[in-house]
């Protein structure tokens, strides 16, 4: 086991709270085990280890993340995400393969959404050529988490959003009734509506977006309309 992972376990294990763990596990539909450590105390305990001087080197990062990902308690995947996000400006293109594995292992919205918006979003921007085959594979995948990632990776792009690509990806997924896909469609449209409300409104009408996706997509625009009334 990598020393950084051993030190993480040593810091978090004494903080375990079975009662809180039970509540956290229930909230996540019993998908994962928990130590019972909320995000604020977890990050406080890990602050020194996540500082630039103590983080693993980029060459060691995949090994550390993989080891954290394999631990049963969900807090360790959250630490892995904090570490990845802290290091995201230095990630190499080769980490796209690792990213695909993390997206499809121990998958749920809590890990996938952060991987999509922070890590996929960063890697796809910095390495457009290398990421193109991944995007092509993910958009046609049977795995809902890979397709959710294609819908969400541009979430923080704002004016940099490739709206033709976004609308094409949404069209790919529009008929899928899976909750996490419809929710992602609405979320992506809602965020982009803050940058280009006309394009989003036109797309919703033209494409006949309905149901959960439409309700989510129009939340921000509806608030703006009501506040102007």
């Amino acid at each position: 086991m990598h020393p950084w992972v051993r030190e993480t376990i040593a810091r978090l294990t004494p903080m375990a709270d079975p009662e809180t763990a039970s509540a956290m596990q229930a909230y996540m539909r019993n998908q994962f085990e928990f130590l019972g450590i909320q995000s604020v105390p977890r990050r406080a305990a890990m602050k020194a280890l996540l500082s630039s001087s103590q983080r693993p080197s980029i060459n060691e990062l995949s090994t550390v993340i993989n080891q954290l990902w394999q631990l049963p308690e969900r807090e360790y995947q959250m630490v892995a995400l904090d570490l990845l996000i802290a290091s995201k400006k230095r990630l190499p293109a080769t980490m796209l393969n690792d990213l695909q594995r993390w997206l499809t292992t121990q998958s749920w919205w809590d890990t996938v959404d952060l991987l999509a918006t922070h890590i996929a979003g960063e890697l796809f921007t910095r390495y457009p050529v290398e990421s193109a085959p991944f995007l092509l594979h993910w958009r046609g995948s049977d795995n809902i988490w890979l397709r959710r990632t294609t819908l969400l990776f541009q979430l923080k792009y704002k004016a940099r959003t490739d709206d033709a690509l976004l609308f094409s990806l949404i069209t790919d997924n529009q008929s899928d009734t899976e909750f996490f896909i419809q929710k992602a469609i609405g979320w992506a449209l809602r965020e982009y509506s803050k940058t280009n409300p006309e394009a989003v409104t036109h797309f919703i009408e033209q494409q006949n977006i309905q149901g959960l996706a439409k309700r989510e997509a129009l939340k921000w625009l509806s608030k703006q309309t009501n506040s102007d009334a």
Side-chain angles (χ1 to χ4, degrees):
M1 183 177 287
H2 192 281
W4 201 92
V5 177
R6 281 203 303 269
E7 180 60 24
T8 297
I9 294 171
R11 287 176 182 239
L12 296 189
T13 300
M15 300 172 64
D17 180 338
E19 185 175 343
T20 303
S22 179
M24 294 169 78
Q25 188 168 326
Y27 176 72
M28 295 297 286
R29 301 185 188 178
N30 297 309
Q31 297 275 333
F32 312 101
E33 297 177 34
F34 284 85
L35 291 169
I37 308 170
Q38 300 284 1
S39 59
V40 172
R42 185 194 77 233
R43 289 187 173 125
M46 292 299 300
K47 184 176 181 180
L49 277 183
L50 287 167
S51 66
S52 58
S53 63
Q54 295 195 43
R55 290 199 295 265
S57 70
I58 288 300
N59 291 336
E60 299 173 297
L61 195 58
S62 290
T63 297
V64 170
I65 300 298
N66 285 334
Q67 290 181 8
L68 290 167
W69 221 258
Q70 290 165 10
L71 294 172
E73 293 86 4
R74 196 58 163 173
E75 286 88 347
Y76 294 117
Q77 284 92 65
M78 295 298 105
V79 169
L81 289 166
D82 287 341
L83 177 57
L84 273 174
I85 291 168
S87 308
K88 69 180 183 179
K89 297 295 184 184
R90 301 185 296 137
L91 301 180
T94 53
M95 198 151 287
L96 285 160
N97 286 305
D98 295 305
L99 175 59
Q100 180 169 290
R101 181 170 62 257
W102 299 326
L103 285 166
T104 55
T105 307
Q106 304 246 52
S107 309
W108 200 242
W109 60 265
D110 58 335
T111 55
V112 169
D113 292 1
L114 289 172
L115 288 169
T117 57
H118 287 277
I119 308 306
E122 179 72 18
L123 291 174
F124 281 21
T125 293
R126 289 172 54 200
Y127 307 111
V129 174
E130 295 88 344
S131 64
F134 288 88
L135 180 58
L136 181 63
H137 168 60
W138 296 357
R139 73 185 295 176
S141 175
D142 290 335
N143 186 292
I144 65 165
W145 303 113
L146 291 178
R147 284 189 286 115
R148 183 172 169 97
T149 298
T150 68
L151 294 166
L152 296 181
F153 81 89
Q154 296 191 87
L155 203 68
K156 298 179 182 293
Y157 282 18
K158 298 182 179 179
R160 295 187 294 114
T161 300
D162 181 341
D163 57 3
L165 174 60
L166 175 63
F167 295 155
S168 175
L169 290 164
I170 290 172
T171 302
D172 285 353
N173 289 278
Q174 185 178 346
S175 62
D176 190 331
T177 59
E178 163 62 47
F179 171 84
F180 287 111
I181 295 297
Q182 290 297 311
K183 188 82 169 180
I185 290 173
W187 189 12
L189 288 171
R190 183 173 75 246
E191 284 303 302
Y192 190 50
S193 75
K194 299 172 185 177
T195 298
N196 194 339
E198 295 82 7
V200 169
T201 301
H202 177 71
F203 176 75
I204 290 172
E205 293 174 353
Q206 180 188 52
Q207 199 60 32
N208 194 28
I209 301 294
Q210 296 293 330
L212 173 63
K214 182 177 182 179
R215 292 194 299 275
E216 289 292 321
L218 293 177
K219 276 183 178 178
W220 186 82
L221 288 174
S222 297
K223 286 182 180 178
Q224 296 305 113
T225 301
N226 290 336
S227 65
D228 292 340

